[in-house]
Each structure stands twice: as C-alpha cells, then as structure tokens.
Amino acid sequence: MTVTAARTELERTRFFIDGEWVMPRGSDTHVALEAATGTPLGTASLGTDADIDAAVHAAHRALEGPWGHTTAAERATVMRRFADALSARADETSTLVSRENGMPIALSNAFNGAAPAGLLRMYADLIETMPLEEARPSPSGATIVRREPVGVVGAITPWNYPQVLAMMKIAPALAAGCTVVLKPSPETALDGYILGDAAIEAGLPPGVLNIVLAGREAGAALVSHPLVDKIAFTGSTAAGRLIGAECGRLIRRCTLELGGKSAAIVLDDTDIATFVAGLGDASFQNNGQTCTVQSRILAPRSRYAEVVDAVAHFARDMIVGDPLDPAVTCGPMASQAQLERVLGYIDAGKRSSARLVAGGARPAALSRGWFVEPTVFADVDNSERIAQEEIFGPVVTITPYDGDDEAVRLANDSEYGLGGSVWTSDEERGLAVARRIRTGTIGVNYYLQDLGAPFGGMKSSGLGRELGPEALDNYLEYKSIYASADQLHR
C-alpha cells in the first residue's frame, strides 16, 4: 500500500546497507496494520531496484574485503556477539511479530525471540569445528579439498515466521563466510529492522548483512542481480517456480523452501488422547499459517467417528483472540488478504460434498482484526480443492481410509511433500509407515521441528535443505587442489 503521509506508532523509513541506516532511493512507503485490530502499527519504506543494487554492491565489497578474509574463529566470535544482541531484544521482537502477523505470543517467544540467537550460536560452534581443508591421497600425490564461501547470498523471506526463517539463512551463510542481502516481506514490515540494530551493536563489519524491505519487483531484481551468487528463498510454490527458473537460466545456486499440504495419519491403534494433545503443534500451529501443518487428517474407518469428534471438539475449544494474551491458542490471520483467502477456501468446502463439523465463519465476538474460527471439514474426498491446495489458515480436512496401504497412498497423493505425522500406539509400526511417505520431515506421535536436523521438502515443496549441519553445504563451494604427496603430512 502506497501512501503520502501517515501517523503510526513505528517509523522505519531507512534501509540497512553497508553497516548504516540509509535513505531509500524511492518514495513508496507501506503502512503496516496490526493483525488483531486492523489499525496502523508502523510505516516502512519499500525498496526499489536501486536500493537492491546498492545493498548487493555493499555485500560484494564486504566479501572481497575484510569479511572474505576472516577465519572461522573470527566469524564465530562476531556471530556470538550478534546472538547476544538479539537475545537482549527477544521480548521486543516477539511482541512486535505477534502484532504484525497474529502469531500467539508463546510461539513467537520461541521462534522469533529465542531461535534466531540459538541458530547463530549453533552455526558458530559448527564452523569452528569444521575443517575447511582436507588433504586426501590421490594417484598423482595428494588432493586438497577446500571449502570456500559461495559468495553473496540473496535471502528472501516470508511473513509467517519472519525472524527464524531469516536466520535459517543468515546464520549458516555468515558461518561459511558469505555476505547477505535480506529482503523481508512487506506483510511483516517492521521486525527486520531489529536485525539491523543488533548487527550494529554486535559490530558486524559493513556490508556483511544488508536489509531492504521490498515487494516482488525488487525481489526479482535481487534474484537476477549479476553479483548475487546464491538465492535462499522461503515462500509459495508459485513464486519458487519463478525463482528456480531464473536461477536455472543464470546457472545460479538456490535453495527453495516452499508450500505444503501435509497429512496426519491416525492409525487404528492410536491413543486418541495422545493425538489430541499433539494437534495444536501438528495441525493448527501459528493459526494454521505454517507450511508444515498437517491440514489433511487421514482416519481409519473403524475409528472414523471418534477421530472426527475429537478433532471437532479440539477446534471448538481453541481460544481465538488477541495473540499477546498467553491464553489464546489461535490468533488472527496476518492480513485482510490472507483472511479473504482462507474464507474463500471455507466457502469452497461448504460448496463441496464435505461435511462442516466445526467453525466455518468469522467469530461473532471479534469485530476487529482478521480472525477466523478454527474450521474442520469431515468426509472430504482427497481430490477436493480443500484437500489438495495449501490454505494457510486454521482449516483441516478429515478423510477416511481402509488399511495402512491406502493411508500411505492418500498421504502421498499430493504435489507437496514437506511435513507429516503418524499416530499410533506401536512406534515401530508408525516408523514403518513414516518411511513410506514422500516428505522431507515427519513425526511419530508428535510434530515439532528440530533446528539441529535438516529441514526441507520433496516434490513441489522445494529444493535443498536448511537447518542442521547439512545447511552449511548450501553456502560452501568445494575446490579440489592437486598437489604433491608432501601435503598429506602437513
């Protein structure tokens, strides 16, 4: 949204480029609205191609200059200072993100407050213990296998988990010796500035991290900039296809963490209490605005009515309201556009052969903000839109099945493969089913992301992996240096 003037609580009209807050090259601004009220929260400038160009050149200079010549230990020291600066701001950050996108505050404390600093410390530790050169015997003497930074990284992040998704790219990139241009989403226009403030306090060298808030056109300029060596993107599959095509044309490295439509398989021996206890994290996390939510619940016909009743009761018992209230378990959608998208899918479900068993409307008691009731459709054919397309809201479907083989077939009957879960009283049986699902992550009797393990998708859910030690490979190039056998003894 472009405005000429607005009085808002937060004014963030500069970009973090080359270690400083600088004036934008353009004049467009974006008024951020609070998700729970729809009222103005802050104003931020929107970047242009020229702002992106300035940020990329700053990152390139830093790569060619001091940062490109640091040791792993030196980078780790800076990263730990960065982590400390973010930890000192954790409460402020968590609260701001919840106001921006409606995330319940307890979840925001974990993913926007604590996790970014934790990732910086984890990758600082990893890079200090990773040998960057290794001499191997070869037929002609020795080969030195060397790890070098991939270069300038363009990081493009969405609005649903803005801080942790940004740091899932920034932390391994900095550890590897790369420099970064971060383009956050305008839907969470304000919290990215906290990263810049913390970077200054931590003493990151100029140009190592640059932050330009911008829309899609400037994002496209970042993807195609000739000085960018790699794109790290999290967002929709549709946008990921465009980015992947451009990176392919340019022979440019990319990692793409994209959409999902994951399945929760309830086996016939499931303890329903265990399943219900895990539903919040597995199927309704962050008001359903999570790419890994298991929004397709597959239930055995022998216990179908029991599962439908349990899920419907869970949804009706969720507390919808102000995300800053610790008692609230479902906050608002992040924007008016997202609310309309979710309501559109609910309408599609009502027009289908599915049976609405919970929710299905806006809460009558909440006249402001972008709230929607947690919604459950039963008797859903897996071919229906609400079972195949990513809704990104608190809407789940329940589909019956006969036998484990049909459950696996239905779970895999999706263009996506990002998350999933299996619920059973027999963990070995659950693991056997989990191994048959084509998905990047899956839980047995719970679903909680492990920041120390690789994360990413199969099929249309993306390319590459983030998190865990494996993520460092995304930001490293391998060089083989052929040398004499003397190198084996050094």
Side-chain angles (χ1 to χ4, degrees):
M1 141 178 218
T2 302
V3 296
T4 55
R7 293 183 62 81
T8 54
E9 183 178 332
L10 297 170
E11 300 289 330
R12 286 295 205 170
T13 54
R14 294 173 182 247
F15 299 131
F16 187 61
I17 298 175
D18 213 12
E20 298 179 332
W21 293 109
V22 302
M23 293 296 294
R25 274 70 172 173
S27 58
D28 282 357
T29 57
H30 173 84
V31 175
L33 304 179
E34 187 161 2
T37 65
T39 57
L41 175 61
T43 302
S45 292
L46 290 174
T48 64
D49 292 7
D51 297 297
I52 293 291
D53 183 65
V56 172
H57 275 89
H60 184 71
R61 287 193 298 272
L63 182 72
E64 296 292 307
W67 188 253
H69 297 92
T70 54
T71 65
E74 289 169 338
R75 294 195 295 277
T77 297
V78 174
M79 291 171 66
R80 293 188 183 106
R81 291 202 305 264
F82 194 10
D84 291 343
L86 287 174
S87 291
R89 294 164 168 80
D91 290 344
E92 169 195 354
T93 305
S94 302
T95 299
L96 178 56
V97 173
S98 290
R99 296 181 72 188
E100 288 179 305
N101 71 3
M103 181 182 291
I105 189 62
L107 191 67
S108 193
N109 285 336
F111 282 98
N112 298 301
L119 286 171
L120 281 165
R121 294 185 179 111
M122 181 180 82
Y123 285 105
D125 292 345
L126 282 170
I127 201 64
E128 279 188 322
T129 58
M130 174 183 284
L132 296 180
E133 287 192 353
E134 173 193 352
R136 303 176 184 175
S138 76
S140 300
T143 298
I144 300 170
V145 179
R146 176 176 170 79
R147 296 180 174 94
E148 296 182 350
V150 72
V152 174
V153 174
I156 302 174
T157 54
W159 48 261
N160 58 330
Y161 290 80
Q163 289 281 312
V164 70
L165 289 175
M167 197 53 68
M168 283 163 62
K169 298 156 182 58
I170 294 168
L174 297 188
C178 298
T179 57
V180 178
V181 176
L182 172 67
K183 190 207 81 65
S185 169
E187 280 77 11
T188 41
L190 304 170
D191 64 273
Y193 288 87
I194 295 173
L195 293 170
D197 291 338
I200 291 173
E201 181 181 312
L204 261 70
V208 171
L209 173 63
N210 307 271
I211 305 170
V212 178
L213 180 75
R216 292 182 180 179
E217 290 185 4
L222 178 61
V223 172
S224 61
H225 197 289
L227 294 180
V228 168
D229 299 289
K230 173 191 164 55
I231 293 294
F233 172 76
T234 298
S236 72
T237 295
R241 287 192 173 103
L242 295 174
I243 290 169
E246 180 67 1
C247 288
R249 185 184 72 84
L250 296 169
I251 319 297
R252 179 160 298 166
R253 287 143 190 79
C254 68
T255 47
L256 305 173
E257 198 273 280
L258 309 177
K261 191 67 178 179
S262 303
I265 301 176
V266 181
L267 296 181
D268 55 16
D269 64 350
T270 297
D271 176 65
I272 291 295
T274 299
F275 170 58
V276 170
L279 261 177
D281 289 322
S283 298
F284 289 96
Q285 189 178 71
N286 193 22
N287 323 325
Q289 298 178 136
T290 303
C291 53
T292 58
V293 290
Q294 286 99 74
S295 56
R296 292 186 296 141
I297 296 173
L298 308 179
R301 290 190 191 275
S302 61
R303 301 184 67 184
Y304 186 72
E306 182 184 6
V307 173
V308 169
D309 185 60
V311 177
H313 275 292
F314 181 90
R316 288 193 289 264
D317 287 344
M318 292 184 77
I319 301 172
V320 181
D322 182 356
L324 298 182
D325 181 348
V328 163
T329 54
C330 184
M333 301 296 92
S335 65
Q336 178 70 33
Q338 187 62 21
L339 173 64
E340 292 173 357
R341 172 187 171 89
V342 173
L343 292 175
Y345 276 105
I346 290 174
D347 287 343
K350 291 176 179 177
R351 293 192 302 270
S352 74
S353 61
R355 173 166 53 103
L356 180 67
V357 296
R362 299 193 66 178
L366 295 168
S367 59
R368 298 195 306 165
W370 302 307
F371 295 94
V372 63
E373 294 173 337
T375 298
V376 181
F377 287 99
D379 307 342
V380 178
D381 188 285
N382 199 56
S383 64
E384 292 280 358
R385 281 186 64 205
I386 56 172
Q388 287 293 319
E389 297 179 15
E390 186 174 39
I391 297 174
F392 230 60
V395 181
V396 302
T397 65
I398 308 178
T399 299
Y401 71 86
D402 293 301
D404 292 5
D405 288 345
E406 186 180 15
V408 169
R409 181 184 66 76
L410 288 170
N412 286 331
D413 183 17
S414 169
E415 71 168 305
Y416 299 106
L418 187 58
S421 58
V422 182
W423 304 85
T424 176
S425 294
D426 181 348
E427 185 175 57
E428 290 306 314
R429 179 187 177 194
L431 289 169
V433 171
R435 291 185 176 104
R436 296 173 65 188
I437 309 303
R438 281 193 52 77
T439 190
T441 63
I442 190 165
V444 177
N445 291 327
Y446 72 96
Y447 186 90
L448 287 172
Q449 228 178 70
D450 176 7
L451 300 184
F455 172 78
M458 299 181 184
K459 300 188 282 187
S460 293
S461 286
L463 297 172
R465 294 294 182 267
E466 296 188 309
L467 296 177
E470 291 81 2
L472 279 168
D473 268 349
N474 294 326
Y475 301 94
L476 292 166
E477 292 280 22
Y478 284 81
K479 176 188 290 184
S480 294
I481 304 174
Y482 309 129
S484 72
D486 293 344
Q487 299 300 319
L488 297 174
H489 309 294
R490 295 191 178 185

